[in-house]
Amino acid sequence: MSALVDAVRGGRTAEVVGLLDGMTDGERRAVFPELRELRKELRADRWGPATRRAYPALQVAGAACQTGAAAVASWLGASDTRWWQAQPAVLIDVLGDREPAWLADVAHRLARRPVGAGVAYELVSGLVRLSGCPVPTTDAYVRGWLLHVGVTWPHDGTVRDRLRREPHLVQLVAAVFETDEAGAQLGWLSGDGPNSWTAALSQLTAEGTLDRRTMVDACVARLLRGGRPADHRVFLRLLKTLELTRDEELERTADWLALAADAASTVASHAQSVLGALALDGALPVRRLAEMSDAVLFRREKKLVRAQLVLVGKVLARDAGAADELLPAAAQAFGHEDSDVQERALRLIERHILKAGAEVRDGLGVAAEQLIPALRARAVALLGASPAVSETAVHAEVLPPAPEPVRLAPVPASAAELAEEVGALLAADGDVAAFERTLDGLVRHAHQDRESLVEALGPVVARLWWVGGEPAHVGQYAFGGRLSPLEVLLATLLGKVRPDSLHRAVQHGASAHACVHSPLTRAFTARIAQVAYRTATDPLPFLLSTPTWSTGLLEPDELVARLDAYRRLGARVSAADFDQALLRVRRTDESASAAAAEKAAGLGTTEGERLARWLSSGPPTLPTYRRRTAGARLLVELGELLELQEDFGPEFRHLGRPVSVYEDRWHCYHWDDVPRRHWLALLPERRELVAARVLRDLSNVAVDDSRGAAAVLPLLAESGGEAGDAVHLCLAYGLGARHEEDRLAAVDALLVLAARGRLDVALLGADLGQLVRRGAVKPLRLAESVRAAAATGANATIWGLLRDTLPVLLADLATGGPDGQAGKARGLGELLAVAAECAERSGARGELPHLARAADRRGSSRLVTQARRLRGALALEVAA
């Protein structure tokens, strides 16, 4: 070992620099192969103390001992040294004697690396300074510069002072407007104070350091480009700080029109205010205002639409001649989803209709047919709209087709094909069907030709962290969450987990940290552990529990055929695999179960007799349950399920143990979503058991504003078995979730349950009424969810749900109810609006308890107007 390599291994960076200074170019090149081998050696234990100590010195030595710019840039930007880099000043020192053109090449190569590569900005900027080359304007370099300048150093002046000292200020500021996520980074770096980036850039523009026209055009262009709200916020703030003159605003009329039509609501609001001021000053032609109104009134945001109607009204009050162009534009609002907006537009047209010509009036009459029935009555006499006051047509109920389970494809015939599917599954964490098919494929090929399988898997798993580890070390993490279930079996096949580690997992089960989810995790992990152990010691020919369908369901005749194959092969059954197979086998078809039970009994094996008893016991049953409250939450407790306590292994018996609201620990380490998608496949005909154990998680998305737990709801809807109280409460919490993606998942689940005939709208509606009343679900969030569901055509379903939700809330409104009812009034108005629309479209008729009292209240609030609308809709006659 050379003295340089020894110093690198010891992490003595200063000594490395001294040794490099005394070496010729030829000596440096000669020692580089040793450095490359050392790097390969350290990769095997990337996070070990020896690696962390050696990497900074290795980065310095490797960069100094290579001559090609591409090779040096690749060495400095390597992913394995990202977390243990040398100081930029040291690297610049050892590279500083190279030619300027070479330094420029390295600098630009490093700048082109992605942001995630973690190349230090100070290193690249130092190389740019030494070489005198043009400054890079890549995303990584610009974002590094923003961070470098934006960090507040009290001894180094304000942001404006640091920007003034930047020699490449003009080029870098121009690049900021072209860099993804730059606005979000500017926002959190310095906020909105006097030392903010927006203040600094506007001051530099005012004093002439930055060109004003260029800055204004760049701001507008960035807003036109779109992006995340954080980006909009910063660049819009900068545009406002620049305080455009009237001539500058007029020059960009086309841009304001585009922003008002399509930009995010905050940006569109600013564009609307600019155009509104121009219109009221007479600087915006009526044709342009009509064009703007057509676009804005088509948007969903009620605030923008109301402001536009107010603007049109002001212009019409000043210029009667504009009616022929502006009134047809205002009529766009007749088709808005909100009835209050429709009424505002109708009142506007009522005030100015006499200013319009006959042809325009005819067109307005046609447009008025989009109005809700209650408003169309006013439009008949005024505009000549089609009379549809006394009767209304019923829209057919439209539900999406119920998703059908997919039969699992056969296992790939060759090890190479299977290895490709393993790689895809490792990269994307596929669904239950992909996982189960791959798992069975690995077991089959390991039994047939293990050597060929291991050879095919080599390139696929080469980059996984445990491939270079010692078996004793990897085995410690096999079941602690560091390895995925698939990786446990892969590591077993490659000899990276010792059989004794797997045996301990089989004997002692999963972690002792018990929580409400533990029975699901224990059962899932027990099967993986036993399959891996048998793969290492006594390979199985195939898995008995591989489902027939993508939901996890296993056909009984298929399981009988597999047991018969085991009998003929003389193979020993894996207990956990057979337990899982029994829980998956279909028992709802009693005739098929009886025929399969007779065949199973004829096998003459212990497992065949057990399967026959299981199939003959009848369809799956559910334990007793009762509802409990916990704060604002409604939860479900389950009793013991006795049939899971007989014959099953200890890890599977827990699935039938009681679920308690107060005794079970709800906070746990099951934060990873990957195992959750497999829980329903454990019990494909008993979704209530799974729903009861994830109910607290689902309540958190509404009560605690957490994110992501509702992703299980579509799977819950597609699963089998009774959809009882636990499933409907899970759905209710999802409909009231804080985050839109969770609400949309709940809407999908609601539509699937309705399409499959499994949705109890009365139960769900009553649950939602109680949850809103208790404060667990906010009515505005619920209104967004049911509006989205109704928009798909499920009007009768949503009306049936709200018919049982609204009386609870209206009763509280009438009697004063519990504390906080005043704060719920606005959300109740939105719910009434959705209910009224669904009643109009579905032809619902009759009385709704407590509705009349709300409709008879004085005033014109959202709640009152929508209550009157719903009362009117329920009293209409239905067209034949």
Side-chain angles (χ1 to χ4, degrees):
M1 181 188 297
S2 67
L4 179 63
V5 175
D6 182 63
V8 168
R9 190 181 290 276
R12 301 187 294 275
T13 304
E15 183 179 339
V16 168
V17 173
L19 290 170
L20 289 169
D21 287 342
M23 296 171 68
T24 64
D25 289 345
E27 290 172 333
R28 292 184 180 185
R29 287 194 297 271
V31 80
F32 180 71
E34 293 184 56
L35 297 173
R36 187 166 52 206
E37 289 302 316
L38 175 58
R39 182 178 170 187
K40 290 181 181 178
E41 175 189 330
L42 294 175
R43 279 176 178 163
D45 188 16
R46 186 174 299 180
W47 304 100
T51 301
R52 297 197 301 268
R53 180 175 60 250
Y55 262 153
L58 179 61
Q59 191 181 38
V60 172
C65 292
Q66 298 181 83
T67 56
V72 171
S74 177
W75 183 273
L76 292 174
S79 60
D80 52 351
T81 59
R82 175 185 175 186
W83 300 107
W84 324 111
Q85 297 187 44
Q87 291 294 322
V90 177
L91 291 169
I92 293 171
D93 179 54
V94 299
L95 298 176
D97 57 351
R98 308 289 181 101
E99 292 293 326
W102 186 92
L103 292 174
D105 192 2
V106 172
H108 280 266
R109 287 177 182 273
L110 289 174
R112 287 195 293 270
R113 292 265 171 174
V115 175
V119 177
Y121 163 80
E122 293 79 5
L123 171 61
V124 183
S125 64
L127 295 174
V128 169
R129 184 178 63 255
L130 283 177
S131 66
C133 66
V135 64
T137 55
T138 62
D139 282 6
Y141 189 84
V142 172
R143 291 180 66 174
W145 175 70
L146 292 175
L147 184 62
H148 177 74
V149 174
V151 174
T152 302
W153 302 317
H155 63 277
D156 206 19
T158 63
V159 171
R160 181 179 59 177
D161 295 334
R162 295 196 288 277
L163 288 176
R164 280 203 186 101
R165 295 195 295 270
E166 172 57 57
H168 306 290
L169 178 64
V170 174
Q171 298 93 320
L172 288 172
V173 168
V176 166
F177 292 96
E178 303 296 329
T179 301
D180 292 335
E181 306 296 331
Q185 187 170 355
L186 284 173
W188 67 258
L189 276 175
S190 57
D192 192 24
N195 193 34
S196 67
W197 271 83
T198 52
L201 291 175
S202 64
Q203 290 163 3
L204 291 172
T205 303
E207 65 189 34
T209 305
L210 296 172
D211 180 67
R212 178 176 177 83
R213 183 179 184 84
T214 301
M215 290 293 291
V216 173
D217 286 343
C219 279
V220 174
R222 182 59 185 249
L223 294 175
L224 285 168
R225 172 181 166 181
R228 295 174 58 190
D231 262 7
H232 299 152
R233 196 175 303 119
V234 170
F235 292 111
L236 179 59
R237 188 189 309 144
L238 177 58
L239 183 64
K240 291 179 179 178
T241 307
L242 290 173
E243 297 180 347
L244 273 63
T245 65
R246 183 51 49 91
D247 289 341
E248 288 174 327
E249 291 175 342
L250 269 173
E251 186 181 351
R252 294 167 177 81
T253 299
D255 294 329
W256 304 128
L257 288 170
L259 291 172
D262 299 317
S265 58
T266 53
V267 179
S269 178
H270 175 72
Q272 183 185 47
S273 66
V274 172
L275 291 170
L278 294 175
L280 294 176
D281 287 348
L284 186 70
V286 172
R287 176 181 56 83
R288 288 288 206 175
L289 179 58
E291 179 185 342
M292 172 194 175
S293 299
D294 281 337
V296 174
L297 295 177
F298 190 73
R299 298 182 65 122
R300 293 189 59 187
E301 298 95 331
K302 289 180 284 187
K303 183 178 179 181
L304 291 175
V305 173
R306 288 195 296 263
Q308 191 66 26
L309 291 173
V310 170
L311 174 61
V312 170
K314 289 180 178 179
V315 173
L316 286 172
R318 296 184 179 190
D319 182 5
D324 285 350
E325 289 192 79
L326 293 183
L327 288 182
Q332 288 278 354
F334 286 170
H336 198 274
E337 62 184 20
D338 185 77
S339 61
D340 286 351
V341 169
Q342 294 184 15
E343 186 171 12
R344 285 172 181 264
L346 182 58
R347 285 204 302 265
L348 172 67
I349 290 175
E350 285 173 340
R351 286 196 301 270
H352 301 284
I353 188 64
L354 297 178
K355 302 173 185 177
E359 186 176 348
V360 170
R361 293 187 189 186
D362 292 341
L364 293 174
V366 174
E369 295 177 8
Q370 303 174 78
L371 292 168
I372 62 173
L375 294 179
R376 206 179 310 163
R378 288 164 51 183
V380 170
L382 179 70
L383 304 172
S386 300
V389 182
S390 60
E391 58 181 29
T392 184
V394 176
H395 293 244
E397 177 80 347
V398 178
L399 292 172
E404 296 293 334
V406 178
R407 181 178 283 272
L408 265 65
V411 168
S414 70
E417 291 177 287
L418 178 61
E420 289 182 8
E421 297 200 4
V422 169
L425 195 58
L426 288 171
D429 287 331
D431 58 13
V432 169
F435 173 80
E436 292 290 345
R437 180 169 176 266
T438 303
L439 192 68
D440 188 38
L442 290 172
V443 170
R444 289 174 183 267
H445 282 276
H447 182 266
Q448 295 165 8
D449 188 353
R450 179 168 180 159
E451 291 184 3
S452 297
L453 176 60
V454 170
E455 182 181 355
L457 290 173
V460 174
V461 301
R463 294 182 64 85
L464 297 176
W465 70 267
W466 47 263
V467 171
E470 293 294 327
H473 177 70
V474 176
Q476 295 175 2
Y477 298 101
F479 297 98
R482 289 286 299 277
L483 267 65
S484 70
L486 180 63
E487 286 181 279
V488 171
L489 188 54
L490 293 173
T492 301
L493 287 168
L494 271 66
K496 293 299 180 181
V497 180
R498 297 192 312 205
D500 60 331
S501 298
L502 296 170
H503 187 258
R504 281 196 300 273
V506 171
Q507 293 297 314
H508 303 294
S511 170
H513 297 291
C515 68
V516 71
H517 311 110
S518 295
L520 300 167
T521 303
R522 284 175 176 170
F524 179 74
T525 304
R527 173 175 170 246
I528 298 297
Q530 199 165 117
V531 167
Y533 178 65
R534 288 290 301 274
T535 300
T537 57
D538 181 16
L540 299 165
F542 52 83
L543 294 179
L544 294 172
S545 59
T546 302
T548 307
W549 304 99
S550 56
T551 58
L553 202 60
L554 172 60
E555 293 297 339
D557 56 344
E558 194 166 334
L559 179 55
V560 172
R562 292 175 188 175
L563 284 175
D564 188 32
Y566 261 65
R567 180 185 60 80
R568 287 185 280 102
L569 292 170
R572 184 166 57 90
V573 170
S574 162
D577 186 38
F578 187 53
D579 283 348
Q580 178 62 88
L582 290 179
L583 293 176
R584 284 178 170 171
V585 71
R586 184 197 297 273
R587 291 195 290 159
T588 51
D589 186 338
E590 296 189 36
S591 60
S593 294
E598 184 177 353
K599 292 180 183 178
L603 295 176
T605 63
T606 302
E607 289 78 16
E609 293 175 359
R610 185 180 167 195
L611 174 59
R613 291 196 306 272
W614 183 255
L615 291 173
S616 301
S617 63
T621 58
L622 291 176
T624 58
Y625 75 93
R626 65 173 177 173
R627 292 192 169 208
R628 299 293 295 268
T629 60
R633 293 172 170 86
L634 291 177
L635 300 173
V636 170
E637 289 188 334
L638 298 181
E640 189 172 49
L641 189 59
L642 292 178
E643 71 173 353
L644 295 188
Q645 307 307 309
E646 302 171 358
D647 297 333
F648 284 90
E651 299 300 326
F652 286 85
R653 291 175 195 162
H654 290 280
L655 292 170
R657 296 285 168 79
V659 178
S660 171
V661 169
Y662 298 112
E663 294 178 9
D664 287 336
R665 292 176 59 244
W666 296 90
H667 299 286
C668 65
Y669 62 97
H670 297 111
W671 50 268
D672 188 359
D673 287 336
V674 175
R676 291 173 181 263
R677 71 188 66 168
H678 298 281
W679 288 350
L680 283 158
L682 290 172
L683 299 158
E685 287 191 317
R686 285 191 174 99
R687 56 181 153 196
E688 273 287 294
L689 295 184
V690 180
R693 295 189 179 276
V694 300
L695 181 54
R696 174 72 70 134
D697 301 328
L698 267 297
S699 72
N700 290 339
V701 302
V703 178
D704 297 333
D705 294 350
S706 64
R707 184 194 296 265
V712 74
L713 287 174
L715 300 177
L716 199 63
E718 293 172 19
S719 190
E722 180 183 341
D725 285 52
V727 169
H728 282 79
L729 279 173
C730 284
L731 184 56
Y733 287 118
L735 292 172
R738 161 67 177 83
H739 298 284
E740 184 179 13
E741 63 268 29
D742 288 323
R743 294 198 299 271
L744 291 177
V747 169
D748 288 344
L750 183 150
L751 295 174
V752 169
L753 285 171
R756 298 181 66 188
R758 296 288 188 172
L759 182 67
D760 187 335
V761 291
L763 175 61
L764 180 58
D767 284 344
L768 284 167
Q770 291 300 323
L771 290 174
V772 172
R773 187 174 187 271
R774 298 173 64 86
V777 167
K778 293 180 172 57
L780 277 174
R781 298 175 184 175
L782 175 59
E784 288 295 320
S785 296
V786 293
R787 181 178 285 115
T792 67
N795 296 289
T797 299
I798 299 305
W799 165 247
L801 182 158
L802 292 176
R803 182 179 55 202
D804 289 282
T805 301
L806 291 171
V808 179
L809 308 180
L810 291 170
D812 283 340
L813 188 69
T815 61
D819 293 341
Q821 286 304 315
K824 299 174 185 175
R826 188 164 66 98
L828 180 53
E830 295 299 326
L831 284 174
L832 286 167
V834 179
E837 182 175 350
C838 290
E840 291 164 355
R841 291 176 177 272
S842 64
R845 300 297 176 262
E847 293 186 2
L848 190 70
H850 309 291
L851 176 63
R853 186 173 296 182
D856 290 338
R857 295 172 69 154
R858 291 181 297 177
S860 58
S861 67
R862 176 78 164 162
L863 187 152
V864 173
T865 57
Q866 295 305 317
R868 292 169 183 166
R869 175 189 174 190
L870 177 57
R871 182 173 63 178
L874 293 175
L876 288 174
E877 296 179 6
V878 183

